Amino acid sequence: MRRRTVTPGAGLEETLDNLAAATATRQEAPAAAAPAHAPRRERDTLQTEFAFELPRGYVDDEGRVHRNGTMRLATARDELKPQIDLRVKENPAYLSVVLLAQVITQLGPVTDVHTGIVERMYATDVAFLQDFYRRINSEGHTHAAVTCPLCHGSFEVDLSGGRLGES
């Protein structure tokens, strides 16, 4: 692994962009060498966007209610970026607003979801989105193997709950 030094003139954004570009270039080369006729296996694919429906809905400036949207998986950059945000430093509770604004890709016809939109959402919807974020980004880690005390049958349970209010 090669070390990277960040100089005072270079910002975090620029360094992360350069690193991402270099990684993408390295990953494209082996992919190009693979035969074009090779079938793609289902386990080789990764779902990165997930649809959701808000319990109440976001009301825009024109009074339209938007309930359906999509959220993408968070990257390490998404989780690190809010840590340097001054609003988060002043009020740590603002972290979830900044984080949700980064990972929500669409809300109804709105594709430019920013912190102002998340700030104007109802608390119920923000709580739902926080739970949804946690579930999609920890997929596979919230399942536990359990045994029924009556029939001694084994099965798996999702500890995060499937619907709002479950746990």
Side-chain angles (χ1 to χ4, degrees):
M1 180 177 218
R2 210 170 83 199
R3 282 191 182 194
R4 301 206 184 269
T5 306
V6 179
T7 61
L12 176 62
E13 285 292 320
E14 181 183 336
T15 303
L16 291 173
D17 287 339
N18 292 341
L19 182 58
T23 303
T25 304
R26 272 182 280 164
Q27 289 176 347
E28 287 174 8
H37 66 278
R40 220 177 148 90
R41 292 179 294 190
E42 189 174 316
R43 68 180 181 172
D44 290 344
T45 62
L46 175 66
Q47 181 180 0
T48 59
E49 285 204 348
F50 300 84
F52 62 82
E53 183 177 339
L54 296 174
R56 297 206 184 270
Y58 164 69
V59 181
D60 66 15
D61 294 333
E62 287 78 37
R64 292 183 301 244
V65 179
H66 307 291
R67 287 193 175 88
N68 297 316
T70 55
M71 182 184 291
R72 66 173 172 78
L73 290 176
T75 63
R77 173 187 244 169
D78 293 325
E79 299 230 348
L80 291 171
K81 200 172 177 182
Q83 301 297 328
I84 59 173
D85 192 302
L86 294 177
R87 297 168 295 186
V88 174
K89 287 183 178 184
E90 290 176 11
N91 181 4
Y94 200 74
L95 183 133
S96 64
V97 172
V98 175
L99 192 53
L100 288 173
Q102 291 181 140
V103 297
I104 297 172
T105 56
Q106 185 174 352
L107 190 55
V110 180
T111 56
D112 180 26
V113 179
H114 51 81
T115 55
I117 289 175
V118 178
E119 287 173 350
R120 292 181 11 216
M121 287 183 178
Y122 294 108
T124 306
D125 291 334
V126 174
F128 170 84
L129 289 169
Q130 288 170 331
D131 181 59
F132 189 71
Y133 173 91
R134 184 178 48 79
R135 282 191 285 136
I136 68 170
N137 285 290
S138 63
E139 185 177 14
H141 300 288
T142 59
H143 292 142
V146 295
T147 304
C148 176
L150 299 175
C151 70
H152 302 290
S154 297
F155 55 96
E156 203 171 77
V157 175
D158 184 0
L159 299 175
S160 69
R163 294 184 303 236
L164 189 61
E166 290 184 349
S167 56

